[in-house]
Structure formats: C-alpha cells, structure tokens
Amino acid sequence: EKILNEPALWEYNFGLQDPALAMPHGIAAGQTAPEKFEITEEQIRTLEEDGVVHIKGVFDAEWVQYLRDATGHQVDNPHFWAFAGTASKLYDYIQRNIWQTNKAFANFYYHSAMGHVLSQCGRTDEIRVSTDLLMVNPNKGFKWHQDNQNGPIKWEDGIRFWITMDETPAEYGAPVYLKGSHRNDAVDEAAVFVDIEQKGLEDYKDELLEFRTMPGDMLIWHPRTIHKVDGPSDGIWTTYRRVLGGTVCKAGSKYQDKRGSGGVLSDLGRHGLEQDDKLESSFFPIVYPRWNDAEAKERDEGKVGRSPRDIASKLGGLAGKASGEKFSSFFQVLGSQAKR
C-alpha cells in the first residue's frame, strides 16, 4: 500500500505557509549565524573530475528531523504550486521553489551548513539559491537524464544538490551517475532524457557511480552530469524517500533569459532582471556567507513568488513552433511518466 496518496483538489493551499518549527541547536531564526561544515580538497576534486560527489553526514539527527517535520507539514498542507508536478504522477509530492512559500525551508537555507558546503564545492565566496525542489517518492523513478531546470543561469555557474532525509531502500532508489559525463559534448543542452547509447557517450556509458545515501547526506553534482533514479517496478513506495534538492549559483553569475526554452520553467517569477544582469535579487536569495535581511524581508512579505500573470508572460513563447520543439523533451517527461 502506498505510504502517500495524491492530494485531492480541494486540499491545496495558497500563499505563504509557516510550520513554526523550532530550529536545531538552539538557532534563533534570523539572528544566529549560518553553520559550517568543512569538506576536503579530495572531495572537491572528486566533484570536478567525476561530476558528482557524495558527502556523508553533513546534517545531524536534529537537522534531519527538522527537514522531515517541515516536509510532513508541507505534504499535509499541499500548496497550489505542487499541483502540476503531483498531478503528472512524477512524484507523490513535488514542489518547486519550496523556500518561497514555506518558511521552514527558507530558514534551513539561511542557517544550515548547506551554503558553506556548496561554496567549497564551487570554490566560490558566494552562494545563491537559483531554484529548488521538495521531492517525495519518485514513483517509478526518473530514467537517464540531465538537469536543465537550473534557473536562469549558465551550466558552469550552477551546482546541483540533494539533501536526503531517508535511507535508500536496498532494492531501488539509489541515484546512478555516468562518471565524468559532465564533460560530454554530445547531448543537446535542451534535452532532458538521454539515450546513453547515442554517439559521443561511449566513454561514459559504462562508468557507473551508484550512491546509497543515508539521512543527512548530500549528493552534489554538475548540472550536465547524466544520471537516473530507478523506483519500484510497480511505482508504489511503501516507505518515504524525501529529498530537498535544487541548483545554487556561484558568485558573479549573470541572469540568462531562457524564454523560448524548457529552462524557463524554473524561472517564472516577476523579478525584473534582464539578460546578463548580475544575479542579485530576492528571487535568488544569497545564503552564503550570510543571508541578506532585505531579501528575507521581501520573501516574508510575500513579494517573492509567482502569479498567473508572471507565468503567462514567461511561457508566451510556447505558441511558436521553434520553441515548441525546444520544450518537447521536457514534456515527454510528463507524458511518459504519466502513462506508467
């Protein structure tokens, strides 16, 4: 029996949500400095060379429970912005830009060691959240793909991350990566699904790296690293697989207007940034070396988010044939998964 069922239409909520959770380690929200977690030069080089690194035990039991409680509150009080992804049957629950609507996740970014870990991985003195996802139980999984929903940034400016809240089941659910595949030049940037038998991937397709993550671990990878996650064959998760993931960007990142391509789906807010503007905005909040009080205030006042008007403006290019072709790979994800 499934551990989590899709919300009914009338159960969805709108606006800001705050589970009012006490933070771990006596942290005072909005006051205590962000925590730190040192990683090694070897781990950084592994990311650079292999395109992925598994960092164990970044978050202790208190942080894991905090994230589980925040996720539990979100699943019990589903937000409207989760409707499309959840209805597609990709996940039992999935919501993009969870930090924008759920205060507990914003506080996690502000105060946890996540920013410090990712700054070391990127050899950068600043980390901003470009886009994120709360993902619960990926049904039958997600076949070989690359991540092109990274927000309005260039590939080289992004760092992908997963923060796991549960033990990976023995039979399925372990992420698998093609070692070094972030260096490939065979896969089109607009592609989501990847045929690993295609020409140009011969050097990577047999170099598999599998990670059985545990609660509190981080997986960190380059956005172009090809990977997959296999779910149970019947698509029914009898235990939880809860993950907070997404993309952060490094210091000096510039805004990339991705209207007319699939990448726009992770940039649907009305922030006013134009092509090649410096990516400084409350829509892409700084979390390392410290959060910005003014950006946090705008988020708390509901000034950061999405509206039907914003979405219509950003997705206007869908009507054209060329842009429709660019979107086709992304929407194949929805179609192929929903049919299973």
Side-chain angles (χ1 to χ4, degrees):
E1 184 178 349
K2 289 187 68 172
I3 196 170
L4 180 64
N5 292 309
E6 179 184 340
L9 186 61
W10 58 84
E11 293 181 294
Y12 285 94
N13 295 269
F14 295 82
L16 300 179
Q17 297 176 301
D18 185 356
L21 300 178
M23 301 205 69
H25 309 159
I27 291 171
Q31 301 178 38
T32 306
E35 295 186 337
K36 292 188 175 183
F37 185 94
E38 298 288 343
I39 64 174
T40 67
E41 177 65 20
E42 181 181 5
Q43 289 172 318
I44 298 169
R45 288 181 179 173
T46 295
L47 172 62
E48 293 170 346
E49 294 170 7
D50 294 354
V52 59
V53 64
H54 179 195
I55 302 178
K56 299 178 181 180
V58 177
F59 305 102
D60 65 13
E62 285 190 56
W63 274 119
V64 170
Q65 191 58 51
Y66 176 87
L67 288 174
R68 288 174 175 174
D69 290 344
T71 301
H73 182 276
Q74 189 61 71
V75 168
D76 289 342
N77 300 274
H79 197 279
F80 174 74
W81 293 122
F83 174 74
T86 303
S88 73
K89 310 297 185 183
L90 283 172
Y91 286 80
D92 286 344
Y93 189 90
I94 182 170
Q95 183 177 337
R96 183 171 293 281
N97 290 339
I98 190 74
W99 70 271
Q100 291 183 359
T101 58
N102 188 312
K103 178 70 170 177
F105 291 102
N107 282 338
F108 173 78
Y109 292 148
Y110 299 155
H111 294 284
S112 77
M114 183 198 80
H116 185 230
V117 170
L118 293 170
S119 72
Q120 295 170 85
C121 286
R123 302 187 189 273
T124 180
D125 60 4
E126 179 181 297
I127 289 291
R128 286 182 174 270
V129 175
S130 180
T131 187
D132 73 346
L133 281 167
L134 177 65
M135 299 166 281
V136 182
N137 299 353
N139 291 327
K140 288 194 175 182
F142 219 75
K143 303 307 178 185
W144 291 115
H145 66 283
Q146 66 178 5
D147 296 312
N148 68 0
Q149 295 299 311
N150 297 303
I153 58 175
K154 296 179 179 179
W155 291 104
E156 58 267 27
D157 290 332
I159 307 171
R160 294 286 298 185
F161 70 91
W162 255 29
I163 297 166
T164 54
M165 306 178 213
D166 302 288
E167 182 175 352
T168 303
E171 301 83 7
Y172 52 83
V176 183
Y177 293 75
L178 297 189
K179 182 179 180 180
S181 60
H182 60 304
R183 294 190 294 269
N184 91 84
D185 57 8
V187 180
D188 187 271
E189 289 192 2
V192 178
F193 283 138
V194 175
D195 178 2
I196 66 171
E197 300 297 330
Q198 75 177 70
K199 184 177 180 181
L201 295 181
E202 295 88 353
D203 293 339
Y204 310 112
K205 67 186 184 70
D206 296 321
E207 295 291 322
L208 305 183
L209 297 173
E210 179 175 294
F211 301 99
R212 306 207 73 82
T213 53
M214 299 292 286
D217 290 355
M218 288 189 74
L219 268 180
I220 300 167
W221 67 95
H222 189 284
R224 291 212 70 177
T225 305
I226 298 166
H227 57 289
K228 70 171 182 173
V229 177
D230 291 326
S233 58
D234 58 4
I236 297 176
W237 286 75
T238 57
T239 59
Y240 277 114
R241 210 297 302 276
R242 295 163 287 194
V243 170
L244 179 62
T247 307
V248 298
C249 51
K250 307 173 190 177
S253 297
K254 294 184 177 180
Y255 180 78
Q256 304 299 302
D257 189 341
K258 296 186 178 181
R259 279 177 287 192
S261 75
V264 75
L265 295 169
S266 54
D267 174 32
L268 295 176
R270 196 187 327 147
H271 42 65
L273 294 175
E274 301 290 344
Q275 178 68 29
D276 290 328
D277 283 352
K278 192 172 183 180
L279 199 75
E280 289 185 352
S281 167
S282 55
F283 283 76
F284 311 103
I286 187 170
V287 295
Y288 182 84
R290 184 191 184 278
W291 74 92
N292 178 286
D293 289 328
E295 290 178 356
K297 185 172 185 288
E298 289 194 357
R299 182 252 167 237
D300 292 346
E301 291 175 347
K303 297 178 180 178
V304 177
R306 294 159 285 177
S307 73
R309 173 184 167 186
D310 303 337
I311 294 173
S313 172
K314 289 289 181 75
L315 297 185
L318 275 171
K321 179 179 184 294
S323 60
E325 290 172 349
K326 292 178 182 178
F327 274 89
S328 63
S329 181
F330 176 80
F331 287 114
Q332 283 173 14
V333 176
L334 301 185
S336 64
Q337 297 291 327
K339 291 175 183 176
R340 295 179 179 180

